[in-house]
Amino acid sequence: MIELKSLAEIERMHTTGQFVAQILSELSELADVGVNLLDLEHHVRSRIRQRGARSCYWDYAPSFGNGPFRNVVCLSVNDAVLHGLPHDYALRDGDILSMDLAVGIDGWIADAARTVIVGTPADDDLRLLRATEEALAGGIEAARPGNRLGDISAAIEAVATYYGYPINTEFGGHGLGRTMHEDPHVPNKGRAGRGLKLRAGMTLALEPWFARTTDRIVFDPDGWTIRSADGSRTAHSEHTIAITEDGPLVLTRRLPHHADLAST
Ligand code: MG
């Protein structure tokens, strides 16, 4: 079932979204050569505590994963792309770091991910990052009342195809609001003009992610960390958006003067 949100509810998700955007910006600044992933995890923990927010990841226990998740941020390095467990690892020059964060504030959730290159970027990695960001922008642009879910998927797919990156369809975007995962599932591949009709009040996390040379994934023994099956490097971009009568509103794009920042 898809729960349509009122403008007031969307505004509350926007407040959460601004906090998520702020933390991802802070992590992007902090992520540098020699910085340990556990330092980033602890930064997020203290920011969540200060803000009185709730981590959506802590104790998350879906059908995959060995036991509940005991971290507040997903940090995935190089060939790891989704659900990376923060662990004792010092970032190296040229690493690709994907950071995915979902929190709730006063019961309303926002979820976003950003990928950065630590230190000196390689051209191939910049290209991969650009592709996920353009795919996300394309998906957002298609998220309008009257369009269909397949228009979002097709827009994401078109960018991947243009860049020549294969697409895995096991993990994609999702509805969200009071909980982290709601209907519908938003595949990163699909046919324009097909599927669910998009309506104002839908709130979605769109999240293209690509590996350079494979659409296959493997799980680490921890049951969480997902890597490209061939070890090729990966990137992931995600925003929480609301579909409004006026078009898509990106709730996790950082605004310089959003009111909520004054209290964080
Ligand atoms: Mg996410």
Side-chain angles (χ1 to χ4, degrees):
M1 197 196 85
I2 293 169
E3 186 196 340
L4 297 178
K5 278 77 173 182
S6 68
L7 285 174
E9 290 170 335
I10 289 170
E11 191 44 46
R12 295 181 72 176
M13 289 178 68
H14 200 183
T15 296
T16 311
Q18 290 304 296
F19 178 71
V20 168
Q22 172 69 27
I23 302 305
L24 287 175
S25 291
E26 291 171 11
L27 291 178
S28 302
E29 292 291 317
L30 290 170
D32 209 344
V33 177
V35 170
N36 198 296
L37 297 182
L38 294 177
D39 295 337
L40 301 180
E41 162 76 18
H42 286 124
H43 177 77
V44 182
R45 284 188 195 187
S46 74
R47 295 290 276 115
I48 286 175
R49 202 179 318 118
Q50 276 170 10
R51 182 62 179 77
R54 182 179 65 79
S55 168
C56 297
Y57 295 159
W58 190 266
D59 276 346
Y60 182 54
S63 56
F64 55 91
N66 295 341
F69 201 79
R70 288 296 169 131
N71 293 280
V72 299
V73 63
C74 294
L75 300 172
S76 306
V77 179
N78 296 338
D79 59 322
V81 63
L82 297 174
H83 309 156
L85 284 181
H87 59 285
D88 181 14
Y89 174 81
L91 290 165
R92 297 179 192 164
D93 191 40
D95 276 348
I96 302 186
L97 173 66
S98 296
M99 309 169 292
D100 194 343
L101 179 65
V103 304
I105 295 177
D106 298 331
W108 292 96
I109 288 163
D111 184 1
R114 190 185 292 184
T115 298
V116 295
I117 298 173
V118 176
T120 322
D123 288 346
D124 283 347
D125 294 341
L126 288 172
R127 186 176 186 274
L128 184 64
L129 254 67
R130 197 163 63 236
T132 59
E133 285 167 7
E134 285 178 14
L136 177 57
I140 291 168
E141 186 54 33
R144 297 175 177 279
N147 274 2
R148 299 207 175 245
L149 198 61
D151 293 307
I152 295 176
S153 303
I156 291 171
E157 180 180 358
V159 174
T161 303
Y162 171 82
Y163 278 90
Y165 299 128
I167 301 170
N168 170 286
T169 52
E170 289 162 84
F171 290 88
H174 49 92
L176 77 172
R178 297 176 201 270
T179 60
M180 179 165 61
H181 291 119
E182 298 180 354
D183 289 336
H185 173 65
V186 187
N188 287 330
K189 186 178 200 172
R191 290 177 66 181
R194 293 295 192 87
L196 182 80
K197 201 164 199 176
L198 302 178
R199 295 172 62 189
M202 286 181 177
T203 47
L204 304 171
L206 306 185
E207 47 180 323
W209 61 273
F210 309 130
R212 277 186 57 207
T213 51
T214 185
D215 59 0
R216 293 182 45 239
I217 53 174
V218 289
F219 286 80
D220 274 6
D222 62 34
W224 287 105
T225 309
I226 295 177
R227 298 178 187 276
S228 63
D230 65 357
S232 61
R233 288 158 82 93
T234 63
H236 178 206
S237 295
E238 176 179 18
H239 272 310
T240 293
I241 65 157
I243 299 176
T244 75
E245 295 295 352
D246 299 329
L249 184 63
V250 182
L251 305 181
T252 48
R253 180 169 289 146
R254 194 174 170 209
L255 301 175
H257 301 299
H258 193 274
D260 187 58
L261 291 184
S263 62
T264 62

